[in-house]
Amino acid sequence: MNDLPALERLAHDLRELRKSAGNPSYTVIAVWGGQQEPPVRLGKSKLSLWFSGKSVPTDDRLDGRPFTTLVDLLEAKALQKSGTPKQGATAWQERRRAAERVKQGKRRADSSGDDRSAADKVGTSQRLDDEGLPAHEALHQECEQAATSGKMGEVDPRLRRAIRNVFGRLHDFTLQGSPQVYVDVIRDDWLGEDSDLAGLVIRHLEREELITQSTKPMCLTFVPGMKNYEIAEKGKDFVGDPVSLPKRREQLFADCRYFDERCHVLQDDFGVQVRSIFDYNVGYGVDLSEVTATGRSWRNVDMDLNEVERSARRIGTVDGVLFDRARSVHRSLMVEVEAIKKAGTNPGNRHTYHAAWKDARERSDRLRDEFTASVGCVQSTDDLGC
């Protein structure tokens, strides 16, 4: 079989080694991997691609040594069951590297397109992110239209699954201190049977600025000269579903409007309180500890404050910057309420509380303006991280 191309020869040799080891199922091999110390992930979809020759095993330095673990386990079983001598990890790694060179050569040839016109190149780059991936045109067109219209949640379930998978794995790598990941790891190992969607997955996450292309070699998962990706700053703080982001954006703006309305209602009521207490001397001889100057219960005012806080927290599930600004507004409104309460029940220090309320009122107005400006910035740039 030495006359086979390197990629096919590697897959053939892996299948022969598996036969010599008693032909264990992919599930059994996955269990063996999980029993290692530390555990090694040998998922069924990954193994299927390797044994069929549809994918080249990733360099062990990039993905926790699954290929070396696989051949070590199979060679040990083959020696035990059929007396097949071990060839050793070095020989298998040589085959893997040869297969990888063949695959990279095909990818470069597919993407070079020296004889194509400029218009053809533009059309192809828009369609496939020039990763040399098989094109499932109907699905790709559907996904492009859905992404453009902000309806990613309505596209093929495979793509939704693939987007969540890649974003979640990149998050895991970031937490492990290895944020930069070679594109072949994303396509061949993480996506497996969904590898044809890699270009669409990456484009969607880049479009939403949840991931970005890396250029700084900081760790072993970076491969110079190839495309590498990492979580972007906005992606690090993102806590939602990367597929349903457009819907979440709409909800964000609705929460922002509601937050502003609740603040407006509170401050209008405060204005009545201040005129009653400070201008018409209602505070003298009148106990306002239970009921406000307008007849409203302070309990209702506190409930309104709590509603402002809850709406701020809903904003925080999508955008951290807007949450910080909304939380500052809420804290300033709390100071306003406290100053009016004390002025209504302690007329002897009314002027002190009046000054405290005026300072808080000016601060609340300024913070609300900053919050409104930030919301406008997000809407105008269509960017949650503005």
Coordinates of all heavy atoms in Angstrom, one line a residue, residues 173-208:
F173 N -10.9 27.2 25.6 CA -9.5 27.4 25.4 C -9.0 28.6 26.0 O -7.9 28.7 26.6 CB -9.2 27.4 23.9 CG -8.8 26.0 23.3 CD1 -9.7 24.9 23.5 CD2 -7.6 25.8 22.7 CE1 -9.3 23.7 23.0 CE2 -7.2 24.6 22.2 CZ -8.1 23.5 22.4
T174 N -9.8 29.7 26.0 CA -9.5 31.0 26.6 C -9.3 30.8 28.1 O -8.3 31.3 28.7 CB -10.5 32.0 26.4 OG1 -10.6 32.2 24.9 CG2 -10.2 33.4 27.0
L175 N -10.2 30.1 28.8 CA -10.1 29.8 30.2 C -8.9 29.0 30.5 O -8.3 29.1 31.6 CB -11.4 29.1 30.7 CG -12.7 30.0 30.6 CD1 -13.9 29.1 31.0 CD2 -12.6 31.2 31.5
Q176 N -8.5 28.1 29.6 CA -7.3 27.3 29.8 C -6.0 28.0 29.6 O -4.9 27.4 29.8 CB -7.4 26.0 29.0 CG -8.6 25.1 29.3 CD -8.9 24.1 28.2 OE1 -8.1 23.9 27.3 NE2 -10.0 23.4 28.3
G177 N -6.1 29.2 29.1 CA -4.8 30.0 28.8 C -4.3 29.8 27.5 O -3.1 30.2 27.2
S178 N -5.0 29.1 26.6 CA -4.5 28.9 25.2 C -5.6 29.4 24.2 O -6.3 28.6 23.5 CB -4.3 27.4 24.9 OG -3.3 26.9 25.8
P179 N -5.8 30.7 24.1 CA -6.9 31.3 23.4 C -6.8 31.2 21.9 O -7.8 31.2 21.2 CB -7.0 32.7 23.8 CG -5.5 33.0 24.1 CD -5.0 31.8 24.7
Q180 N -5.6 31.0 21.3 CA -5.5 31.1 19.9 C -5.5 29.7 19.3 O -4.7 28.8 19.7 CB -4.2 31.8 19.5 CG -4.1 33.2 20.0 CD -2.8 33.8 19.9 OE1 -1.8 33.1 19.9 NE2 -2.7 35.1 19.9
V181 N -6.4 29.4 18.3 CA -6.6 28.1 17.8 C -6.5 28.1 16.3 O -7.2 28.9 15.6 CB -8.0 27.6 18.3 CG1 -8.3 26.2 17.7 CG2 -8.1 27.6 19.8
Y182 N -5.7 27.2 15.8 CA -5.5 27.0 14.4 C -6.8 26.6 13.7 O -7.6 25.7 14.2 CB -4.4 25.9 14.2 CG -4.1 25.4 12.9 CD1 -4.1 26.3 11.8 CD2 -3.8 24.1 12.7 CE1 -3.7 25.8 10.5 CE2 -3.4 23.6 11.4 CZ -3.4 24.5 10.3 OH -3.0 24.0 9.1
V183 N -7.1 27.1 12.5 CA -8.4 27.0 11.9 C -8.7 25.5 11.6 O -9.8 25.0 11.6 CB -8.5 27.8 10.6 CG1 -7.5 27.3 9.5 CG2 -9.9 27.8 10.1
D184 N -7.6 24.7 11.3 CA -7.9 23.3 11.0 C -8.4 22.5 12.2 O -9.1 21.5 12.1 CB -6.6 22.6 10.5 CG -6.4 22.8 9.0 OD1 -7.2 23.6 8.4 OD2 -5.4 22.3 8.4
V185 N -8.0 23.0 13.4 CA -8.6 22.4 14.6 C -10.1 22.6 14.7 O -10.9 21.7 15.0 CB -7.9 22.9 15.9 CG1 -8.6 22.4 17.2 CG2 -6.4 22.5 15.9
I186 N -10.5 23.8 14.4 CA -11.9 24.2 14.4 C -12.7 23.4 13.4 O -13.7 22.8 13.7 CB -12.1 25.7 14.1 CG1 -11.4 26.6 15.2 CG2 -13.5 26.1 13.9 CD1 -11.4 28.0 14.9
R187 N -12.1 23.3 12.2 CA -12.9 22.6 11.1 C -12.9 21.1 11.3 O -13.9 20.5 11.3 CB -12.3 23.0 9.8 CG -13.0 22.3 8.6 CD -12.4 22.7 7.2 NE -11.0 22.3 7.1 CZ -10.0 23.1 7.0 NH1 -10.2 24.4 7.0 NH2 -8.8 22.7 6.9
D188 N -11.7 20.5 11.4 CA -11.6 19.1 11.3 C -11.9 18.4 12.7 O -12.5 17.3 12.7 CB -10.2 18.6 10.9 CG -9.9 19.1 9.5 OD1 -10.8 19.3 8.7 OD2 -8.7 19.3 9.2
D189 N -11.5 18.9 13.8 CA -11.6 18.3 15.1 C -12.9 18.7 15.8 O -13.6 17.9 16.4 CB -10.4 18.5 16.0 CG -9.2 17.8 15.4 OD1 -9.3 17.0 14.5 OD2 -8.1 18.1 15.9
W190 N -13.1 20.0 15.8 CA -14.3 20.5 16.6 C -15.6 20.3 15.9 O -16.6 19.9 16.5 CB -14.1 22.0 16.9 CG -13.0 22.3 17.9 CD1 -12.2 21.4 18.4 CD2 -12.7 23.6 18.4 NE1 -11.3 22.0 19.3 CE2 -11.6 23.4 19.3 CE3 -13.2 24.8 18.2 CZ2 -11.0 24.4 19.9 CZ3 -12.6 25.9 18.9 CH2 -11.5 25.7 19.7
L191 N -15.6 20.5 14.5 CA -16.8 20.4 13.8 C -17.1 19.0 13.3 O -18.2 18.6 13.1 CB -16.8 21.4 12.6 CG -16.9 22.9 13.1 CD1 -16.9 23.8 11.9 CD2 -18.2 23.1 13.9
G192 N -16.0 18.3 12.9 CA -16.2 16.9 12.5 C -17.1 16.8 11.3 O -16.8 17.4 10.2
E193 N -18.2 16.2 11.4 CA -19.1 16.0 10.2 C -19.7 17.3 9.7 O -20.2 17.3 8.6 CB -20.3 15.0 10.6 CG -19.8 13.6 11.0 CD -20.9 12.7 11.4 OE1 -22.0 13.2 11.6 OE2 -20.7 11.5 11.6
D194 N -19.7 18.3 10.5 CA -20.2 19.6 10.1 C -19.0 20.5 9.6 O -19.2 21.8 9.5 CB -20.9 20.3 11.3 CG -22.1 19.6 11.8 OD1 -22.7 18.9 11.0 OD2 -22.3 19.6 13.0
S195 N -17.9 19.9 9.2 CA -16.8 20.7 8.8 C -17.0 21.6 7.6 O -16.4 22.7 7.4 CB -15.6 19.8 8.5 OG -15.8 19.0 7.5
D196 N -18.0 21.2 6.8 CA -18.3 22.1 5.6 C -18.9 23.4 6.0 O -19.0 24.3 5.1 CB -19.3 21.3 4.7 CG -20.6 21.0 5.4 OD1 -20.6 20.2 6.3 OD2 -21.6 21.5 4.9
L197 N -19.3 23.6 7.2 CA -19.9 24.8 7.7 C -18.9 25.7 8.3 O -19.3 26.8 8.8 CB -21.1 24.5 8.7 CG -22.2 23.6 8.1 CD1 -23.2 23.4 9.2 CD2 -22.9 24.2 6.9
A198 N -17.7 25.3 8.4 CA -16.7 26.1 9.1 C -16.6 27.6 8.7 O -16.5 28.5 9.5 CB -15.3 25.5 9.0
G199 N -16.6 27.8 7.4 CA -16.5 29.2 6.9 C -17.7 30.0 7.3 O -17.5 31.2 7.8
L200 N -18.9 29.5 7.3 CA -20.1 30.2 7.8 C -20.1 30.4 9.3 O -20.4 31.5 9.7 CB -21.4 29.4 7.4 CG -21.7 29.3 5.9 CD1 -22.8 28.3 5.7 CD2 -22.2 30.7 5.5
V201 N -19.6 29.5 10.0 CA -19.5 29.6 11.5 C -18.6 30.8 11.8 O -18.9 31.7 12.6 CB -19.0 28.3 12.1 CG1 -18.7 28.5 13.6 CG2 -20.1 27.2 12.0
I202 N -17.4 30.7 11.2 CA -16.4 31.7 11.5 C -16.9 33.1 11.1 O -16.7 34.1 11.8 CB -15.0 31.4 10.8 CG1 -14.4 30.2 11.5 CG2 -14.1 32.6 10.9 CD1 -13.2 29.6 10.9
R203 N -17.5 33.2 9.9 CA -18.0 34.5 9.4 C -19.0 35.1 10.4 O -19.1 36.3 10.6 CB -18.5 34.4 8.0 CG -17.4 34.6 7.0 CD -18.0 35.2 5.7 NE -19.1 34.5 5.2 CZ -19.1 33.3 4.6 NH1 -17.9 32.7 4.4 NH2 -20.2 32.7 4.1
H204 N -20.0 34.2 10.8 CA -21.0 34.7 11.7 C -20.4 35.2 13.0 O -20.8 36.3 13.5 CB -22.0 33.6 12.0 CG -23.0 34.0 13.1 ND1 -24.0 34.9 12.9 CD2 -23.1 33.6 14.4 CE1 -24.7 35.0 14.0 NE2 -24.2 34.3 14.9
L205 N -19.5 34.5 13.6 CA -18.9 34.9 14.9 C -18.0 36.1 14.7 O -18.0 37.0 15.6 CB -18.1 33.7 15.5 CG -18.9 32.5 15.9 CD1 -18.0 31.4 16.4 CD2 -19.9 32.9 17.1
E206 N -17.4 36.2 13.6 CA -16.6 37.5 13.3 C -17.5 38.6 13.1 O -17.2 39.8 13.5 CB -15.7 37.2 12.1 CG -14.4 36.5 12.4 CD -13.5 36.5 11.2 OE1 -13.9 36.2 10.1 OE2 -12.3 36.8 11.4
R207 N -18.6 38.4 12.3 CA -19.5 39.5 12.0 C -20.1 40.1 13.3 O -20.3 41.3 13.4 CB -20.6 39.0 11.1 CG -21.6 40.1 10.7 CD -22.8 39.5 10.0 NE -22.4 39.0 8.7 CZ -22.5 37.7 8.3 NH1 -22.9 36.8 9.2 NH2 -22.1 37.4 7.1
E208 N -20.3 39.3 14.3 CA -20.9 39.7 15.6 C -19.8 40.1 16.5 O -20.1 40.5 17.7 CB -21.7 38.6 16.2 CG -22.9 38.2 15.4 CD -23.9 39.3 15.1 OE1 -23.8 40.3 15.9 OE2 -24.8 39.2 14.2

